[in-house]
Amino acid sequence: NRAEHLLVFLAHMHGYLQRQNIAYTIFVVDQADELPFNRAMLFNVGIVEAGLEALATDGENFTCAAMHDVDNLPVDPLLSYWCESTPVHMSAHTDRWSWGLPYQGFAGGVAKQLTSQLHAMNGLANVFWGWGGEDDDLALRWYKAKYQLRRPQSQLGHYATVALNHRRDKDTPQYDRMKLLATSAERSTVDGLSNLKYRLLSKNHTALYTLLRVELQRNGEFEHLYK
């Protein structure tokens, strides 16, 4: 059902961003392999590939990244997608969680951050296969980097979800995510953009978005953490 989500997302977001007079490109990163889903690793791929394209076309990297689940849609047109001096967890209040947060440290859904900061903190963790944990690790990286996490106030952070019935991968690995999170600080300098491994299968530019189909590759140096 992600293809259906994408159509709704594109129809909503193009009008939303154009009204904010933002120069932007939407990159959709599709995991086309037999490994379990890895959300954070796909964001890392997007950061790298978008940067390479920006350098090739404009001679400089893009400055702001919005890491966006395709089924999250901003409600209030006043919510800005311009980056600020500190990371912002955008989807602070979604209908999925009755317009609140599932827990105080939650950083899932949508977040925006300066790309210079993302590179300085080595991007996101690559070790979270399947669902859950990667957004908590991102929040821990912000904390380690001494970034003051911000969230939009009141209804500005309202997001509607395209579908409320998330289906988890049947092959989601069973391992202790809390154990992985406990190693976040020591992993952050060596787990992320610095050890990202993937193969770009195709890049397709369309009028509405750029589609990247990728094959992710596991990094064996952290296998002991899953035991």
Side-chain angles (χ1 to χ4, degrees), residues 8 12 17 19-20 29-30 48 66 75-76 87-88 94 98-99 101 133 151 158 178 181 186 188 200 203 212 216:
V8 176
H12 183 84
L17 295 173
R19 285 190 291 272
Q20 296 191 9
V29 188
D30 179 34
V48 170
V75 174
D76 196 313
V88 179
T94 71
S98 301
W99 305 110
L101 292 167
R151 291 191 175 101
H158 280 194
M178 296 306 294
L181 288 171
E186 62 191 77
S188 63
L200 180 62
K203 179 189 291 187
L212 306 172
L216 302 181

Side-chain angles (χ1 to χ4, degrees), residues 1 13 28 31 34 38 57 61-62 71 75 85 87 131 139 143 150 169 191 206 225:
N1 58 355
M13 291 306 301
V28 177
Q31 183 177 341
E34 298 302 317
N38 192 318
T57 56
N61 200 353
F62 64 102
D71 58 353
V75 174
S85 60
W131 292 90
Y143 178 80
R150 289 190 58 255
D169 293 346
D191 171 32
T206 75
L225 295 176

Side-chain angles (χ1 to χ4, degrees), residues 125 127-128 137 140-141 144 176-191 222 224-225:
V127 297
F128 292 92
D137 192 272
L140 290 172
R141 291 188 180 214
K144 182 188 177 187
D176 189 346
R177 281 168 169 73
M178 296 306 294
K179 179 180 176 181
L180 280 182
L181 288 171
T183 68
S184 178
E186 62 191 77
R187 269 190 299 99
S188 63
T189 58
V190 292
D191 171 32
F222 296 108
H224 66 283
L225 295 176

Side-chain angles (χ1 to χ4, degrees), residues 62-67 81-88 90 111-121 123-124 138 141-142 145 147:
F62 64 102
T63 58
C64 177
M67 298 167 284
Y81 269 68
W82 291 92
C83 273
E84 304 172 27
S85 60
T86 188
V88 179
M90 306 273 280
K112 65 179 179 180
Q113 187 170 2
L114 293 170
T115 52
S116 58
Q117 294 176 348
L118 282 166
H119 282 278
M121 61 184 239
L124 289 75
L138 174 60
R141 291 188 180 214
W142 288 336
Y147 295 134

